[in-house]
Amino acid sequence: MERLVEAARKEGALTVIALPRDWVNYGEIIDTFSEEYGIKVHQLEPDASSAREVAAAAQLKPDVFDLSMDVAAAKTALFAPYRVQGWQDIPDRLKDHRGFWYAGYGGYMSIGYDPSKVTAPASFSDLLKPRHSVSLPGDPREVSAAFNGVMAASLRGGEARAERGVEFFHRLKSAGNLAATPKAASVLVDWDYHNVERAAADKLWKVTIPGDAVLGAYYVQAINRQAPHPAAARLWQEFLFSDKGQNLFLKGYARPARMEALQMRGTLDRELAAKLPATSGSPVILSIPEIDRARAYLQREWAKKVR
């Protein structure tokens, strides 16, 4: 680490892409890293999608990527393998065994709601009840959070099927319960880190995760094989996966990939962890083939049955 820090400080800069400062506390994460190591962080296209990140890599030359798992798995040729010191703490299903990418943080799909307008939903089926106005955070054919909302609603016995998810939202629309936009909704199906952030700003907003339908997903980190600042890129990864970095994600209401290990060692910030919505179910993590099949189905059927 001493040699890595020295080399990174000599480079003096790090270029990141697709990291909005208000996304899972990335603003504080970037500032803390920069102050701690004296490295200037250049931020490119903060609102870029994962697909845009990899498409722009050759032109923009970011040092590191923050990607959805399916995009990362399809683009390993762009990445340099590297295993952070906390490698063993990252669950096997959340990392490439060769070290090309590994999950940094994630969340569980949740139901955010206004209790003055609806009663607390115990399951997705409760959203079919009268007077519910439900929304997704975008078009599920284009927005990852909306896609996962459809898949969460499809869970039965730990299995997600896109057909069931599309049929559920078709039923919502037929019942008049599907809102045109999130602003018009009293219920929002979204990642828990987004819904909890809304609840922190609006004390009337509540968040729940149905125990029978817990869907999790993680964003992964990777180093550009052609990184202009290779030492700084590796130091950035070490920082993100350190106890401090993981707790900073937690401060942004995301679930750090090393959360279980931090909890076991007593280094997890318990006060921050207590702010996350509780769940009694074990999260289902979709595999890459499952994601690909589901996305293909939504591309074919969503417009016919829902929009």
Side-chain angles (χ1 to χ4, degrees), residues 26-103:
Y26 258 126
E28 184 175 356
I29 290 170
I30 289 169
D31 293 345
T32 303
F33 172 81
S34 183
E35 292 167 8
E36 190 160 318
Y37 296 109
I39 294 172
K40 184 174 179 58
V41 179
H42 302 284
Q43 297 174 248
L44 303 175
E45 298 192 18
D47 296 320
S49 66
S50 293
R52 168 60 183 166
E53 286 186 64
V54 295
Q59 176 189 3
L60 300 180
K61 296 180 174 59
D63 291 303
V64 291
F65 301 98
D66 179 288
L67 303 161
S68 61
M69 195 178 296
D70 56 322
V71 171
K75 296 294 182 179
T76 54
L78 291 177
F79 311 145
Y82 181 74
R83 295 187 178 188
V84 293
Q85 291 184 103
W87 175 261
Q88 296 299 330
D89 294 342
I90 305 170
D92 289 343
R93 62 181 175 173
L94 300 181
K95 62 189 177 187
D96 176 81
H97 71 277
R98 300 161 295 178
F100 284 108
W101 52 261
Y102 24 92

Side-chain angles (χ1 to χ4, degrees), residues 208-290:
T208 187
I209 298 175
D212 63 342
V214 186
L215 183 76
Y218 287 77
Y219 279 86
V220 304
Q221 306 298 316
I223 297 171
N224 188 350
R225 185 180 291 277
Q226 304 297 327
H229 311 103
R234 286 157 176 78
L235 183 61
W236 170 253
Q237 303 296 357
E238 293 291 356
F239 178 74
L240 293 184
F241 287 88
S242 68
D243 291 359
K244 177 185 285 189
Q246 292 282 280
N247 277 309
L248 284 172
F249 279 131
L250 187 58
K251 190 174 180 180
Y253 309 112
R255 298 174 187 267
R258 294 182 55 235
M259 188 168 182
E260 185 175 345
L262 266 62
Q263 192 168 15
M264 289 175 60
R265 294 171 187 153
T267 55
L268 185 73
D269 189 316
R270 293 183 180 181
E271 185 177 343
L272 294 176
K275 296 180 180 180
L276 300 181
T279 178
S280 57
S282 298
V284 173
I285 309 292
L286 298 178
S287 67
I288 303 303
E290 286 174 327

